[in-house]
Amino acid sequence: MPIVMARLAAEQMTSRGRGHLVFMSSIAGKVAFGGTALYHATKFGLRGLALGLREDLHPHGVGVSVIYPGFIREAGMFADAGVELPPGVGTSSPGDVARAVARVIEQDRGEADVAPLPVRVGVTLGALAPSLFARIQRRGGADKLTRALAEGQREKR
C-alpha cells in the first residue's frame, strides 16, 4: 500500500514541483530482533523505498523522509500491547513523533529517529555490529519482549 500511495502522491507533487512524502517506519527498520521477521521486513523495506524515492524525486522539488519511532507511550502497537519495558529503555510520546515529522519536512531531512538516547545508541550499535547486538539482545531478554508484544497484538492480526 505505501508504494501505491507514494506513487499517486508523487505524481501530483512532481507536477506541481513541490511537496514532501513522509513514511512512518520504526526503529525496527534499522535493527532486527527475533520473532518479528515479517515486521522487520516491512520496516526495512519502507526505508529502502523512501531513501530511493528521495533521490528520484529530489530533482522535481519533492522531499521524502522516514520517521523511525521507538517505543511510543499512549498510542500505537506498544501502548496497545501493555508491555513493560526493561529498565532504562524509555519511551517517546506521540507529540515527539509529530515534532519529528514537522522537523524533517521543514529541514528536508531524510531520516529521523524518535527514541530516547539509550534506544538510539542501541540502534547505532546494531547497525555497526549486528552480531554483537543480537548477542546483547538475547542476553537482555529481547525475545520475551517481542513475544509479549506479539501476544498483546494477537487480536489485531
Side-chain angles (χ1 to χ4, degrees):
M1 187 61 94
I3 295 170
V4 173
M5 291 175 65
R7 179 175 177 250
L8 294 172
E11 287 173 0
Q12 296 296 315
M13 292 176 188
T14 56
S15 70
R16 289 191 314 261
R18 62 184 170 82
H20 204 103
L21 297 171
V22 178
F23 291 86
M24 194 62 59
S25 181
S26 168
I27 287 294
K30 293 185 167 188
V31 294
F33 303 96
T36 55
L38 185 57
Y39 182 74
H40 288 291
T42 64
K43 300 309 177 185
F44 272 78
L46 274 177
R47 185 179 197 200
L49 172 67
L51 295 179
L53 283 175
R54 182 172 173 80
E55 294 306 309
D56 292 346
L57 297 176
H58 177 76
H60 304 284
V62 177
V64 180
S65 303
V66 190
I67 305 293
Y68 303 101
F71 297 103
I72 304 299
R73 62 184 174 273
E74 305 159 11
M77 177 177 79
F78 170 71
D80 287 349
V83 174
E84 190 172 321
L85 289 174
V89 172
T91 61
S92 299
S93 72
D96 295 332
V97 177
R99 284 185 288 280
V101 170
R103 191 172 52 251
V104 296
I105 293 170
E106 291 167 356
Q107 298 173 4
D108 191 26
R109 291 182 49 196
E111 300 181 293
D113 292 343
V114 183
L117 182 61
V119 175
R120 293 192 320 265
V121 168
V123 167
T124 300
L125 173 62
L128 296 173
S131 295
L132 174 61
F133 179 75
R135 284 195 302 274
I136 292 168
Q137 292 304 308
R138 281 187 221 113
R139 287 188 181 150
D143 58 330
K144 293 176 188 137
L145 179 62
T146 56
R147 281 195 305 270
L149 278 169
E151 187 58 37
Q153 291 288 300
R154 188 165 311 283
E155 293 177 16
K156 295 194 174 207
R157 293 184 194 170

